[in-house]
Amino acid sequence: MEFNMKNLKIVGVSHPIHDAEAKVRGNAIYTGDMQFAGMQYAAMLLSPKPHALIKSIDASEALALDGVETVLHCFNTTERTFSRFQKLSRQPGIMNQERVFNRELRQIGDRVACVVAETPEIARQAVRLIKVEYEELSFTTDVHEVLKGALAGMHPEGVSFEFEREMGDKSLVAQDCVETVTHSIMDRVSHAAMEPHACVAYYNKSMDELTIWSPNQGVFGVRTMIADLFEMQYHKVRVIKTTMGGSFGAKQDWILEPVAACATLATGKPVKVVYSREQVMLNTSCRAPYIADVKSKFTRDGLLQSLDIDVILDAGAYLGNTMAYIKYQSTLVPRTYQYPYARYRGQAVCTNGTTSGGLRGWSSGELCLFVEHNLNIVARRLDIDPLELRLKNVHMPWNKEMANNISLEEIRAKECLELGREKFAWDEKKQSDADFNLKNKRYQRGVGVSCGGHLNGYFPINFDFTGVEIRFTESGSAIVNVAVHDHGCGTVQAFKMIAAETLGLPVDMVWVAEGDSAYNPFDTGCYASRSIYVIGRAVKDCCHKLQEQLLQDMACVLSMPVEDLEIVDAQVRAKNDPSTCFSYTDAVHKILFTLQKEVSAKHQYKNTTNCGVMGTHFAHVEVDTWTGMTKILDYLAVHDIGKAINPEICRAQVQGAVVMGSGIALTETMHTNPKTGKSVSSLKDYHVMNAWEAPQVQVLFIEDGLTEGPYGAKSIGEASLVPVTAAIVGAVNEALQSDFCECPLNPDKIVALMQERMKKECV
Amino acid sequence: MRLEFIVNDKKRVLEVAADKRLIDILREDLGLMGTKEGCGEGECGACTILLDGKAVHSCLLVAAQMPGRQVTTIEGLEKNGRLDPLQSAFVEEVAIQCGYCTPGMILSAKALLLENPAPTETEIRRALAGNICRCSGYTQIIRAVERAAREGGADI
Ligand code: FES
Ligand code: FES
């Protein structure tokens, strides 16, 4: 393992991402930029009603418009249903609840119809000419109403799903505990990836081949779902992942892909669909609103004994991924603290709100908020410093977690906390805040700390394997073929660096292909923080295999025992004879001409570990009690990253996560009006933090390089969001000596709290 | 209407509808795909271009406002095969992730540096406040602008 940290030339050195030059020139091609001869453009009509049945559609005027190719809707397209969350063939536990165009519309923004036309303008103009007769149905956006029986008939298989589990051993819980109950609420959140969803599809009728280009997180998942929906063989559907302008989980549900496929299958022409921001917000997905109750038991000296967690998640119109989401959340419960017993109960409930989906961290950030909020209140009750309370309870290296009884290996929670305490000057800040708050009435300051444990990959919840192929070209460079889907955060560059480091090549002598279901070895998709830890590891192992193959082939060419050869600095050498020395390109040519062989290697990797990943975050805030505005004065994020493959990109991701999580804590809400069923659907009302408001974020990594990941790496992209909201909310509550957890804690809520306090004081 | 204007130092003459948005003219009529649409309502800054040297949202302008004006898009920054100092600084400072905000971000920064060649961090933050980056925390972007200002010299 020592080797991991030493002698690295490329891994650990910051590099711009692979397509940075194209992006600064403006010539990186995103899906919305693609053009084909004869391309048609689709424009959508989305439901203005929260719940309705379509009685009739009259598209005659739209069809009469010059340039309109067709109008698609529920009466002329397939009645088969799909799940936007289908990732695997014969995937257990998913529900096919949606049609490409639904007849029963279950949310504002549900897909009613789509016009396919010669130009985007004509398509949009024609949409306005479609006449739809709706039969309005009763609707609700209140999960409690649904649990009482509203919307009973909306989905034949039911409108809610419940999951409960116990972990650990209840009999080990100490007697005489302090019991603390806390309640948290989170509102709907938009991923707000800057690139709106887009898809291009082309069905070549003569060849019976359908090709789909989209910025998606899993080409095989899209292929499977589309082929199943349109009853095609899997080899007839090819899905190509395009440059992705950010996902954060928004592009892991298949929504535009079935629309574009349906349109090209109907017309035999290439069709492009690009959503507007409003359509993204209303018809793709969001992070679900949550209601959560946490009951903790602590000994009086602050040792956690049990957690009892009850959550209700508003799935919106379709269950989508929510059943998997709450199950996944349960496995995260024991990944931060060591304690004897936990019970988790999750309910996913359909309403007529915007359909939810996975957002960065996949329930981990939500869980972290609920639990950390409880811990803060406990700390206050027991009069223990919040940081001390965490230090007493966080997992130590090689602890086993109780959900799946797997080892957390080199989890560095304690070190993260201690390093943060020092660098953030936790104790000093607490002291100076106390002085500041005494002297000030209007402004109040506070610090917050949070610990968020996360995962790397699916293991052991789902099977977690991937395939890689690497070949040498005749010029001595390497081509890595793997189903990676760069979300825009530099995975391709990280893979290039891993392969280059392992093979001893310069980075630009390695090319990494992205997701293409026609050529990649099978993979389950880039989710669950598995790209670096699982797929990256597979790439590294495959590089070793490639080198072994090269040595074996050269041994054959030279008629030498393979043991007498070695690879040093991208050269094949005889161990005892320095004059026998071939560069990769010479060796590859020798093998080609002598053995008539290409030097290539194939590798299938099955992940069987999931080490602990810890982020501890520290926030310092100042709340203006008059306006309710919160300013983040200082922020520190400490992560036990294992090894940062491309450090500046890792830091940039953590900083981006802090800005995102701060927005979720303070400003971002896709609030749904219960009277109309309409959610916020514009960036005018959905406030993402800009450069002016964003805090300065310090990032520290603890690197030990001791994991199964490539060069000892762990996950970071999702892990970095997990603790943020909890740290900010903790700091606000510390500043105000309040105990409320209703995200976002926007000025309205803070002012209301202050007014309530004033009223009480007056009485 | 007949629209005559200058785009990236070249005179362009087009026949377009008077209410066609500038972003659509650039992308559809002129094939300049570097200008991105993120919201279409002046909130995200992805569509930022330079209009007579000032940063503006091309999603909020229409053809009728354009005759005789000078437009610079991201494609127009590279001079004689050399990247603008801002473009190189964005690459070198690792200020690019998904890249969707990048063209608009660079053009907002360009407008700032044209007016104020040595901005403070606060001035940079204010100038970029109309451009949202969802991937980063703006740190590398701000650093890139500072670097371009420092090293760009006469090229800015
Ligand atoms: S697209 Fe113009 S500001 Fe967002
Ligand atoms: S790099 Fe993705 S939005 Fe800025």
Side-chain angles (χ1 to χ4, degrees), chain A residues 194 245-246 248 488, chain B residues 95-102 105 132-136 141:
Chain A
M194 281 299 100
F248 314 108
Chain B
I96 298 156
Q97 292 186 49
C98 84
Y100 206 77
C101 69
T102 306
M105 204 60 95
I132 295 174
C133 176
R134 190 59 152 172
C135 300
S136 77
I141 292 172

Side-chain angles (χ1 to χ4, degrees), chain A residues 468-482 492 495-513 539 542-544 546-547 550 570 584-585 588 598-601:
Chain A
V468 185
E469 289 170 5
I470 310 185
R471 44 187 24 93
F472 274 123
T473 68
E474 299 91 295
S475 66
S477 57
I479 292 178
V480 179
N481 179 12
V482 57
V492 165
F495 282 21
K496 285 176 71 170
M497 290 167 67
I498 291 165
E501 182 74 61
T502 316
L503 295 171
L505 286 171
V507 180
D508 60 356
M509 286 288 276
V510 177
W511 187 71
V512 174
V539 168
C542 193
C543 288
H544 290 306
L546 182 73
Q547 288 183 315
L550 182 67
Y584 282 161
T585 175
V588 167
E598 182 194 39
V599 184
S600 66

